[in-house]
Amino acid sequence: MTCIADFFTYETTKSVVVKSWTIGVINRAVQLLIITYFVGWVFIHEKAYQIRDTAIESSVVTKVKGLGMYSNRVMDVADYVTPPQGSSVFVILTKLILTENQVQGFCPEMEDKYSCKNDSQCTGRSRNTGNGYLTGRCVNYTYRTCEIQGWCPTEIDTVKVPIMYEAENFTIFIKNSIRFPLFNFEKGNLLSNLTSDHIKKCHYDPTTSPHCPIFRVGDVVRLAGQNFTKIAEKGGVIGIKIGWGCDLDRSWDYCIPTYTFTRLDSISEKNNVSPGYNFRYAKYYKHENGSEYRTLLKAYGIRIDVLVYGNAGKFNIIPTLINCVAAFTSVGVGTVLCDIILLNFLKGADQYKAKKFEEISEVNLPSDRSASTEMFKSTQTLSGGRIDEKQSTDSGAFSIGH
């Protein structure tokens, strides 16, 4: 029965005014910190009064310009940029290893691990060598090696070839258009203050020309914290990030992009298994008799990834009300903290507990209203000494003086 009686109880708040400089300063300091946080960080910095759209829609068009010299040949955009469609991901070739006049046939495998003394050493292993299929024959070359069927002669990619240093001065033009569908807001990175004459002359600089959409390759590599010679030698992936942070409560002109640069494959740069970036492709031709041959190219280059991100915000009453309620509710945290200090750490904690927590049984309640009034007006002497107690002007509030 005791458990049932304890379950069917009711608790109500009893207001006790504690006149203490220590606890008063703590209470107001905590409230001030909470208000400062919500005003300074939540509302001013994070703009919590706005509804935000992070589902940015974006299109990127790129164009590379510049001439280079490689293996006594003049290289233009069609030679060193792939793919040629002007997409957001493209490669600027900086080094090429060519294997010319390859035809389908039989030839010796050039890798040292396929050296042999007899045919039996060419049959007890995987047929696929990477350059072709083993025929099972051991043939004479400058040394005896296994024969393959495939494109011949096979590629030798360990030769030293120069890099195209002119690529450092190539320029990249980026045209970016974005849209925030929630607000039906559209804009591009070609700002209204940019004229055709200015675009022809400007190059991006984070200080002097931060809105120019033309980027010098050497500057992009440098701003990504890389060395052009090293990345041109082994290849690598550079990211050009276009960030849009738009406050639509302000003028349309204030929504402008920012550009940052980073190396995206920095992990592969540090290992010896497959450092850098390279790939192979081939150019196919036909002899007059109709037989096919090709030139195989192993290309090293700087891959550029143009990445677009952003969000837009605009005033909305719903997030404003939600965060205002959260702010007012959080101010009550000061009361919780002060109660913990009063009940456990300050001198006179027992007196505060006696005033804050009071248990009243139904059988002990006076039937007379005046008797009830006299109960609240009574003066008590608590353990630990006498204190002055007086009725607060608040309904049901007690004041404890220290």
Side-chain angles (χ1 to χ4, degrees), residues 77-88:
V77 177
D79 295 317
Y80 61 73
V81 173
T82 184
Q85 290 85 359
S87 63
S88 60

Side-chain angles (χ1 to χ4, degrees), residues 262-321:
T262 184
R263 179 155 186 181
L264 300 177
D265 66 332
S266 56
I267 297 298
S268 69
E269 178 194 11
K270 299 173 183 177
N271 66 61
N272 297 321
V273 177
S274 180
Y277 175 80
N278 63 77
F279 60 96
R280 290 175 175 83
Y281 67 101
K283 295 181 179 180
Y284 295 87
Y285 311 93
K286 280 191 176 182
H287 291 292
E288 292 181 358
N289 61 6
S291 61
E292 186 181 48
Y293 69 101
R294 74 176 189 179
T295 297
L296 177 65
L297 301 97
K298 182 177 182 180
Y300 294 80
I302 303 172
R303 196 180 92 176
I304 304 293
D305 289 15
V306 182
L307 310 173
V308 182
Y309 66 96
N311 66 82
K314 194 172 185 178
F315 174 79
N316 188 277
I317 191 64
I318 294 176
T320 303
L321 290 176

Side-chain angles (χ1 to χ4, degrees), residues 42-331:
V42 176
F43 285 98
I44 296 178
H45 185 271
E46 293 297 313
K47 295 181 174 60
Y49 55 85
Q50 293 182 333
I51 186 172
R52 309 203 71 80
D53 185 4
T54 58
I56 185 172
E57 298 174 353
S58 171
S59 71
V60 174
V61 177
T62 59
K63 186 181 292 184
V64 182
K65 288 187 176 181
L67 291 173
M69 182 69 71
Y70 194 81
S71 298
N72 296 320
R73 290 194 308 165
V74 176
M75 304 277 284
D76 62 14
V77 177
D79 295 317
Y80 61 73
V81 173
T82 184
Q85 290 85 359
S87 63
S88 60
V89 179
F90 59 93
V91 180
I92 298 175
L93 305 182
T94 56
K95 188 174 77 170
L96 292 170
I97 298 176
L98 280 70
T99 307
E100 298 180 303
N101 300 318
Q102 283 189 320
V103 295
Q104 284 285 331
F106 298 90
C107 57
E109 175 58 78
M110 307 302 294
E111 293 187 37
D112 292 339
K113 65 181 180 179
Y114 290 101
S115 60
C116 60
K117 294 181 180 180
N118 52 60
D119 292 348
S120 63
Q121 293 179 316
C122 300
T123 55
R125 57 178 72 191
S126 174
R127 289 191 65 211
N128 186 352
T129 69
N131 290 317
Y133 288 105
L134 291 171
T135 63
R137 294 193 294 268
C138 184
V139 297
N140 285 317
Y141 183 56
T142 53
Y143 55 91
R144 290 185 66 81
T145 185
C146 294
E147 183 186 58
I148 65 164
Q149 180 183 3
W151 287 98
C152 299
T154 57
E155 177 191 53
I156 304 175
D157 62 356
T158 56
V159 296
K160 295 292 184 181
V161 294
I163 64 174
M164 184 166 58
Y165 285 98
E166 291 85 355
E168 189 172 9
N169 293 313
F170 294 167
T171 58
I172 305 168
F173 170 68
I174 299 177
K175 182 167 66 174
N176 176 219
S177 301
I178 58 101
R179 178 175 178 267
F180 291 103
L182 182 63
F183 308 115
N184 196 27
F185 177 85
E186 298 177 337
K187 197 166 185 185
N189 68 327
L190 303 182
L191 305 182
S192 56
N193 61 343
L194 294 175
T195 64
S196 57
D197 291 336
H198 179 64
I199 289 179
K200 291 177 181 177
K201 299 175 183 177
C202 77
H203 284 166
Y204 173 85
D205 184 273
T207 303
T208 60
S209 190
H211 303 135
C212 179
I214 298 177
F215 304 83
R216 181 175 165 271
V217 172
D219 292 337
V220 171
V221 173
R222 177 178 55 82
L223 291 170
Q226 302 297 309
N227 178 275
F228 177 80
T229 302
K230 290 182 179 179
I231 199 170
E233 176 70 31
K234 294 185 178 181
V237 184
I238 298 292
I240 300 177
K241 298 181 180 180
I242 306 177
W244 293 86
C246 299
D247 184 355
L248 301 186
D249 292 327
R250 306 179 69 187
S251 169
W252 186 84
D253 295 330
Y254 286 100
C255 180
I256 55 178
T258 58
Y259 301 95
T260 55
F261 310 87
T262 184
R263 179 155 186 181
L264 300 177
D265 66 332
S266 56
I267 297 298
S268 69
E269 178 194 11
K270 299 173 183 177
N271 66 61
N272 297 321
V273 177
S274 180
Y277 175 80
N278 63 77
F279 60 96
R280 290 175 175 83
Y281 67 101
K283 295 181 179 180
Y284 295 87
Y285 311 93
K286 280 191 176 182
H287 291 292
E288 292 181 358
N289 61 6
S291 61
E292 186 181 48
Y293 69 101
R294 74 176 189 179
T295 297
L296 177 65
L297 301 97
K298 182 177 182 180
Y300 294 80
I302 303 172
R303 196 180 92 176
I304 304 293
D305 289 15
V306 182
L307 310 173
V308 182
Y309 66 96
N311 66 82
K314 194 172 185 178
F315 174 79
N316 188 277
I317 191 64
I318 294 176
T320 303
L321 290 176
I322 291 173
N323 285 282
C324 284
V325 170
F328 292 136
T329 304
S330 299
V331 171

Side-chain angles (χ1 to χ4, degrees), residues 328-379:
F328 292 136
T329 304
S330 299
V331 171
V333 173
T335 303
V336 176
L337 178 63
C338 290
D339 277 351
I340 294 173
I341 295 173
L342 276 173
L343 290 169
N344 298 280
F345 301 108
L346 284 188
K347 183 180 179 181
D350 292 337
Q351 299 173 15
Y352 179 72
K353 288 178 183 178
K355 287 294 183 182
K356 183 172 176 63
F357 304 108
E358 182 178 356
E359 183 176 319
I360 301 175
S361 299
E362 191 175 21
V363 295
N364 297 329
L365 288 176
S367 58
D368 189 272
R369 177 180 177 86
S370 61
S372 176
T373 304
E374 290 299 324
M375 181 185 70
F376 286 108
K377 289 184 177 181
S378 63
T379 302

Side-chain angles (χ1 to χ4, degrees), residues 22-37:
T22 303
I23 203 66
V25 169
I26 294 173
N27 182 40
R28 299 307 180 195
V30 171
Q31 291 177 344
L32 180 62
L33 286 174
I34 293 172
I35 293 171
T36 302
Y37 165 76

